[in-house]
């Protein structure tokens, strides 16, 4: 067993350390034998994980979740499923499995690596997601249209795998999730690498126009961004900025901003929220624009796009502001590359609301825990 956990650790670090596959807390991995499934614990970074970063689960208990009836009301249902998921933990160290663990159990391969790769999402978050998936990968992959995460997604993936099994007498190695990412199953780490490499290679052939290059901005732009960050300090929060050729492309004017104005995936909402503030030049009333945004939307913007200049992330927590800058730039890459597949396809208002309510719920729980 130990050797397999070492292999899982290496595999997890490999994908976790590459921002083309994993940004911030997105993604998870697992290994299973006949009885147990070891899945990455939530809150543990994939890039720096060691063998203690996995939670050992009972497969028998996980399988019971699939056949049980849960409440209709989403909030009650998700709580019940989570209780059963925690009940399947065999470890004693108090680590928690990711909510995506039950999806790992469904995939009938020893190793499973789930990531949100930029390249894959350039198709998954495009208007031709299904069409391009079939053109590039044929019928022997699963494509799951967008489904609210949690138990509903689990049931959808389970049904699709069953249908696939009926047709091909085997479990699919690749499961694409619209506006989300991909699950890859394999018999060994090499098997996983081979599948990922072939996915990325095939998508690369579809790119007609490369991403804008250039990592820096002008001294003038940097000075303006620093001034804005200084001014925003009056809001009693941290402001971090970024600017480069890609950011400047989307910051040119409001119509460009519209191409990145909504989230593509649930993770985008978690780190950047679902609405972003575009500020036209000059930026002299920036603080009141932020206050107006807060008044209209009920929260302060996590991301501000400054016309022709750069982006600013606001967060009380500096590392979270830095992550938001990274996640937002990834949204720009996805938007750019989605032009090879019919253009960007954002999450719908209903899909966004489901995640926002979920977030509010988990936030509320966190706050009440901290108070007691
Ligand atoms: Zn995911």
């Amino acid at each position: 067993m130990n050797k397999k956990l070492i292999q899982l650790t290496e595999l997890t670090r490999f994908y976790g350390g590459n921002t083309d596959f994993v940004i911030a807390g997105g993604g998870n991995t697992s290994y299973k034998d006949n009885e147990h499934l070891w899945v990455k614990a939530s809150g543990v970074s994939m890039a720096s994980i060691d063998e203690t970063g996995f939670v050992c689960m009972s497969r028998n208990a996980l399988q019971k979740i699939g056949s049980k009836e849960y409440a209709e009301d989403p909030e009650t249902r998700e709580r019940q499923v989570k209780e059963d998921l925690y009940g399947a933990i065999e470890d004693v160290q108090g680590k928690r499995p990711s909510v995506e663990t039950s999806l790992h159990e469904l995939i009938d391969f020893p190793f499973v690596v789930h990531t949100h790769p930029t390249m894959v999402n350039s198709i998954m978050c495009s208007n031709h997601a299904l069409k391009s998936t079939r053109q590039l990968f044929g019928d022997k992959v699963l494509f799951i249209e967008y489904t609210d995460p949690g138990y509903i997604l689990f049931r959808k993936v389970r049904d699709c795998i069953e249908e696939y099994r009926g047709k091909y007498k085997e479990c699919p190695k690749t499961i694409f999730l619209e506006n989300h990412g991909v699950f890859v199953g394999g018999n060994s780490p090499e098997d996983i690498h081979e599948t990922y490499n072939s996915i990325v290679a095939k998508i690369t052939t579809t790119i007609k126009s490369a991403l804008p290059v250039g990592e820096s901005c002008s001294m003038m732009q940097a000075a303006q961004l620093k001034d804005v960050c200084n001014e925003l300090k009056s809001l009693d929060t941290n402001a971090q900025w970024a600017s480069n050729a890609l950011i400047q492309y989307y910051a040119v004017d409001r119509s460009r901003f519209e191409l990145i104005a909504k989230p593509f995936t649930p993770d985008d909402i978690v780190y950047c929220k679902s609405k972003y503030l575009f500020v036209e030049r000059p930026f002299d009333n920036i603080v009141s624009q932020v206050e107006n945004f807060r008044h209209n939307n009920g929260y302060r913007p996590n991301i501000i796009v400054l016309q022709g200049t750069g982006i600013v992330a606001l967060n009380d927590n500096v590392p979270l502001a830095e992550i938001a800058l990274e996640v937002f730039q990834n949204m720009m890459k996805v938007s750019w590359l989605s032009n090879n597949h019919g253009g960007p396809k954002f999450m719908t208002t209903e899909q966004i609301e489901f995640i926002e309510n979920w977030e509010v719920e988990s936030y509320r729980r966190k706050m009440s825990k901290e108070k007691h």
Side-chain angles (χ1 to χ4, degrees):
M1 176 54 233
N2 217 346
K3 186 172 163 255
K4 298 292 185 186
L5 263 194
I6 292 168
Q7 283 186 314
L8 176 63
T9 304
E10 282 171 359
L11 190 62
T12 307
R13 283 178 169 235
F14 178 83
Y15 288 97
N18 185 337
T19 52
D20 290 341
F21 290 89
V22 172
I23 298 175
N28 37 62
T29 57
S30 68
Y31 168 77
K32 55 175 110 48
D33 61 18
N34 288 334
E35 280 165 53
H36 297 110
L37 180 145
W38 287 261
V39 68
K40 186 192 85 77
S42 57
V44 175
S45 146
M46 281 176 71
S48 58
I49 200 165
D50 63 27
E51 284 94 277
T52 64
F54 299 93
V55 193
C56 181
M57 314 282 297
S58 150
R59 291 192 66 191
N60 201 309
L62 283 176
Q63 281 155 14
K64 281 185 187 145
I65 297 177
S67 50
K68 206 169 142 178
E69 285 292 320
Y70 291 100
E72 279 291 311
D73 164 57
E75 219 177 292
T76 318
R77 180 189 66 224
E78 294 305 322
R79 202 191 55 241
Q80 290 171 337
V81 174
K82 210 168 184 177
E83 273 166 21
D84 283 351
L85 182 65
Y86 287 176
I89 298 173
E90 297 235 322
D91 257 333
V92 283
Q93 287 101 318
K95 287 172 287 185
R96 297 287 186 210
S98 141
V99 287
E100 289 173 327
T101 301
S102 42
L103 295 175
H104 286 255
E105 171 56 34
L106 291 175
I107 301 168
D108 200 10
F109 285 95
F111 290 94
V112 175
V113 175
H114 166 51
T115 61
H116 308 150
T118 311
M119 285 295 239
V120 168
N121 278 344
S122 73
I123 294 183
M124 290 307 116
C125 310
S126 76
N127 288 313
H128 297 164
L130 175 61
K131 192 174 127 201
S132 289
T133 302
R134 291 291 169 236
Q135 268 169 5
L136 281 175
F137 304 104
D139 289 329
K140 293 202 78 181
V141 298
L142 273 191
F143 174 86
I144 313 278
E145 61 182 41
Y146 185 86
T147 306
D148 293 333
Y151 192 64
I152 301 290
L153 177 61
F154 164 76
R155 280 223 314 243
K156 174 104 181 171
V157 173
R158 185 192 61 189
D159 294 349
C160 290
I161 290 179
E162 261 170 36
E163 194 193 324
Y164 183 101
R165 263 186 201 285
K167 245 193 217 163
Y168 300 108
K169 312 292 170 226
E170 60 184 19
C171 178
K173 269 189 176 170
T174 308
I175 301 174
F176 290 112
L177 303 175
E178 189 178 26
N179 289 94
H180 183 159
V182 65
F183 277 82
V184 171
N187 291 311
S188 64
E190 295 71 41
D191 200 13
I192 298 268
H193 290 316
E194 211 176 279
T195 303
Y196 264 114
N197 288 344
S198 115
I199 290 171
V200 171
K202 279 181 182 159
I203 299 175
T204 304
T205 63
T206 67
I207 299 175
K208 292 185 200 90
S209 141
L211 288 162
V213 280
E215 274 313 304
S216 58
C217 60
S218 70
M219 278 165 70
M220 171 91 130
Q221 285 165 325
Q224 281 180 322
L225 285 157
K226 280 175 199 160
D227 279 351
V228 165
C229 287
N230 268 332
E231 246 185 275
L232 290 168
K233 273 185 189 156
S234 67
L235 293 169
D236 205 22
T237 186
N238 293 295
Q240 305 283 118
W241 62 271
S243 185
N244 54 41
L246 178 68
I247 292 173
Q248 284 154 30
Y249 176 85
Y250 284 104
V252 161
D253 55 27
R254 220 173 254 284
S255 64
R256 288 271 176 84
F257 168 71
E258 288 303 322
L259 302 170
I260 44 146
K262 285 183 194 171
F264 287 112
T265 68
D267 262 22
D268 294 342
I269 302 176
V270 171
Y271 295 105
C272 299
K273 301 215 163 130
S274 57
K275 286 188 181 137
Y276 321 108
L277 174 62
F278 181 79
V279 181
E280 278 167 24
R281 281 204 189 95
F283 313 128
D284 37 17
N285 58 353
I286 184 88
V287 172
S288 66
Q289 291 209 41
V290 169
E291 291 297 3
N292 276 342
F293 180 102
R294 195 214 305 251
H295 180 77
N296 294 333
N297 297 294
Y299 59 84
R300 202 171 52 204
N302 274 24
I303 292 286
I304 304 169
V305 179
L306 299 169
Q307 187 183 21
T309 309
I311 55 175
V312 169
L314 293 184
N315 205 304
D316 295 344
N317 173 312
V318 176
L320 282 180
E322 280 164 359
I323 290 172
L325 289 176
E326 247 190 276
V327 171
F328 201 69
Q329 289 180 73
N330 187 60
M331 286 168 59
M332 292 175 169
K333 290 180 190 169
V334 166
S335 183
W336 178 279
L337 296 169
S338 74
N339 287 321
N340 300 297
H341 306 281
K345 184 181 173 203
F346 302 114
M347 289 171 70
T348 66
T349 308
E350 296 76 50
Q351 293 164 356
I352 291 169
E353 275 169 8
F354 180 91
I355 303 292
E356 281 176 335
N357 292 337
W358 188 345
E359 277 302 296
V360 167
E361 203 26 51
S362 61
Y363 179 71
R364 227 186 278 148
R365 269 198 294 273
K366 189 172 158 261
M367 293 300 282
S368 66
K369 245 186 245 159
E370 276 165 9
K371 263 185 241 157
H372 296 125

